[in-house]
């Protein structure tokens, strides 16, 4: 399902991804020298690419990692009787983190747009879900709408931030990418179903089938170092969903929110929730694809790129 208007074909070049974030630019040349040294032997090249993958993933998780760290730290150390409620403290912290990242140019305005939109989308769903008892926020707070502390929207924003950053860090290219109009239609149906299922209309199985049909032929090409490697896009989405589910377990373990089954003691979040996160991830993916138009893979660059001093950081 391809559409020329939905994709752009650009030559694959060695420009550094670090150039996107101004504070990283001074390290580009030093990193290129390290890469050149690592490339002299096969085993050091393999180790370097593995480490490079981890560093890029960590950088992509910056916003989400800070959010998870704050949940853990406030659960362990925040005073129970503090004048400022824990949820309000989390909201102010995340707001401050957002401001600092933008001011320090560690986050781009394009990323901030995705975060804002997903924050609004997530908060609207939270208002409905908490009102129907799907989950609760057990602690008091002032900065809230109904039963929803406003910091909760940042939990959804972490997903959008990660996708936006990883898209650029790994220079995503695609083959057989779905048309974005179909992605928008699927995302709208998914979002609607999060509300309809409380009225006895659950289209989840159909949505899973539609997702499989839409993405089954799609391949994402990602560049860790010198060449683009590939992965079925469906597999990539499933892996990200798994890590979101693991993060959700941290959120409930720290009692930031609780499901009814956890009201008398913590237990792992049902593995069935993984499907819900997969569907929600498609909404986030669609939002990011509207900002970063998918680029087609036009060449299989299986040979090292020239000019190692300008390789992606």
């Amino acid at each position: 399902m391809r559409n020329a208007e939905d994709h752009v074909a650009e030559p694959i070049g060695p420009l550094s991804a670090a150039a996107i974030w101004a504070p990283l630019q001074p390290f580009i040349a030093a990193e290129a020298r390290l890469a050149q040294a690592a490339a002299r032997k096969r085993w050091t090249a393999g180790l370097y690419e593995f480490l490079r993958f981890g560093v890029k993933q960590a950088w992509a998780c910056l916003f989400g990692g800070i959010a998870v760290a704050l949940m853990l730290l406030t659960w362990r150390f925040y005073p129970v009787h503090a004048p400022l409620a824990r949820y309000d403290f989390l909201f102010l912290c995340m707001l401050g983190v957002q401001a600092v990242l933008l001011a320090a140019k560690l986050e781009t305005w394009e990323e901030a747009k995705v975060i804002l939109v997903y924050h609004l989308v997530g908060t609207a769903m939270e208002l409905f879900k908490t009102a129907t008892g799907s989950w609760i926020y057990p602690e008091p707070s002032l900065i809230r709408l109904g039963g929803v502390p406003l910091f909760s929207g940042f939990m959804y924003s972490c997903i959008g931030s990660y996708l936006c950053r990883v898209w650029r860090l790994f220079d995503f290219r695609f083959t057989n990418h779905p048309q974005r109009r179909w992605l928008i239609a699927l995302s709208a149906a998914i979002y609607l179903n999060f509300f309809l299922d409380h009225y006895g209309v659950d289209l989840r199985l159909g949505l899973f089938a539609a997702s499989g049909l839409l993405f089954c032929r799609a391949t994402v090409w990602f560049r860790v170092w010198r060449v683009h490697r590939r992965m079925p896009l469906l597999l990539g989405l499933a892996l990200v969903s798994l890590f979101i589910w693991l993060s959700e377990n941290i959120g409930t373990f720290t009692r930031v929110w609780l499901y009814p089954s956890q009201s008398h003691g913590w237990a792992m979040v049902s593995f069935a929730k993984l499907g819900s996160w997969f569907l929600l991830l498609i909404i986030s993916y669609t939002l990011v694809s509207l900002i970063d138009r998918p680029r087609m893979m036009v060449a299989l660059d299986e040979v090292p790129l020239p000019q190692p001093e300008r390789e992606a950081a």
Side-chain angles (χ1 to χ4, degrees), residues 19 73 79 124 143 228 248 290:
L73 289 172
I143 308 175
H228 273 80
E248 182 182 33
L290 295 177

Side-chain angles (χ1 to χ4, degrees), residues 290-312:
L290 295 177
I291 293 177
D292 286 318
R293 177 174 295 186
R295 292 173 291 179
M296 290 186 294
M297 188 67 183
V298 294
L300 304 182
D301 54 336
E302 297 295 340
V303 296
L305 293 169
Q307 298 177 313
E309 67 276 10
R310 298 182 62 207
E311 291 176 350

Side-chain angles (χ1 to χ4, degrees), residues 187-260:
S187 296
I190 289 171
Y191 193 67
L192 182 62
N193 191 65
F194 281 120
F195 298 87
L196 290 178
D197 66 350
H198 287 275
Y199 300 101
V201 181
D202 191 354
L203 306 176
R204 190 170 308 186
L205 292 179
L207 293 171
F208 285 136
S211 302
L213 180 64
L214 203 59
F215 287 100
C216 64
R217 297 178 60 242
T219 298
V220 58
W221 296 77
F222 58 97
R223 180 154 61 94
V224 179
W225 183 14
R226 297 182 295 178
V227 299
H228 273 80
R229 305 190 183 281
R230 61 181 176 178
M231 173 190 293
L233 185 51
L234 263 178
L235 175 59
L237 293 172
L239 290 174
V240 175
S241 301
L242 177 62
F243 279 98
I244 296 172
W245 177 80
L246 292 172
S247 298
E248 182 182 33
N249 276 281
I250 295 175
T252 57
F253 178 77
T254 57
R255 297 185 62 83
V256 173
W257 69 92
L258 294 173
Y259 289 103

Side-chain angles (χ1 to χ4, degrees), residues 41-52:
K41 295 182 180 180
R42 183 181 295 272
W43 74 271
T44 54
L47 177 61
Y48 175 75
E49 184 165 6
F50 176 77
L51 294 174
R52 187 186 183 96

